[in-house]
Amino acid sequence: LIDQHAAHERVLYEQALEDITRGRSASQQLLFPVIIELSATERMIVQSGQNYFTAFGFEISDFGGKTLSVSAIPAFLKTGSVEETIRGIIKYLLEGKNPDSFSKPEKRFAAAFACGAAIKAGQKLSQEEMNALLNSLFSTKNPYICPHGRPTIIRMSIDELSRRFLR
């Protein structure tokens, strides 16, 4: 059994760390920028991590007042999920999840990006998307746990599955 969110999170986390080291991920320019209104605290988080957002493939600029303009996004990201992804990254950073595990800022931003941009639990995937996710997962350095230590894969025999259904 595979947790698609945890699996994708592992893939994105390792890719994000690589992108930070390399300097920039592949991105796609948007025909129409996405305008996002944020609180002062949320804006400060984005501004403090501008280099990390750029490394992940985002182009974010000030749009005046409380708003930011996103004109480019990571190549794999769907245009419709831009605001949700950025807000997910900000939320993760504001909540301060796992501060001990991610004491270095690059690891904290990479984990926030991976969590915010990963496939959501329960999201329907095509067979091709499932195969691509598995191929990507097994090309990571540590495919068996997500960046937070949760398992990505659980092995269960047919006998154990039958027992769980009282058969």
Side-chain angles (χ1 to χ4, degrees):
L1 302 174
I2 297 173
D3 179 333
Q4 66 188 25
H5 175 75
H8 198 214
E9 208 172 6
R10 168 50 64 183
V11 171
L12 292 179
Y13 177 73
E14 289 190 16
Q15 184 63 51
L17 289 175
E18 200 174 296
D19 292 340
I20 290 169
T21 303
R22 239 190 0 238
R24 181 151 178 121
S25 178
S27 64
Q28 58 182 327
Q29 287 295 130
L30 299 176
L31 188 56
F32 300 104
V34 174
I35 308 302
I36 304 173
E37 189 168 327
L38 302 171
S39 71
T41 304
E42 291 170 331
R43 271 181 55 95
M44 198 172 0
I45 285 177
V46 173
Q47 288 171 336
S48 70
Q50 187 71 41
N51 292 341
Y52 298 116
F53 281 96
T54 300
F56 303 148
F58 290 101
E59 274 183 29
I60 302 174
S61 56
D62 188 20
F63 199 67
K66 297 179 181 179
T67 56
L68 296 174
S69 172
V70 181
S71 56
I73 59 175
F76 74 89
L77 199 61
K78 293 185 175 136
T79 308
S81 62
V82 175
E83 184 170 353
E84 177 187 354
T85 299
I86 290 176
R87 288 192 184 280
I89 294 168
I90 293 168
K91 181 180 179 205
Y92 183 99
L93 293 167
L94 280 173
E95 290 175 353
K97 293 184 179 179
N98 300 11
D100 298 333
S101 302
F102 305 112
S103 56
K104 293 183 179 180
E106 61 271 11
K107 289 188 175 186
R108 194 169 56 253
F109 272 91
F113 170 71
C115 189
I119 295 165
K120 305 304 177 224
Q123 181 178 333
K124 293 201 182 297
L125 300 178
S126 68
Q127 188 64 48
E128 294 80 21
E129 290 170 320
M130 288 183 230
N131 291 340
L133 178 58
L134 287 176
N135 289 337
S136 297
L137 177 63
F138 287 111
S139 68
T140 64
K141 293 174 188 160
N142 190 353
Y144 300 105
I145 59 169
C146 80
H148 307 99
R150 290 186 309 270
T152 57
I153 300 169
I154 296 173
R155 184 174 275 205
M156 186 179 289
S157 70
I158 295 294
D159 290 339
E160 184 178 350
L161 188 59
S162 293
R163 277 193 310 274
R164 289 190 181 243
F165 283 105
L166 306 174
R167 302 232 175 245

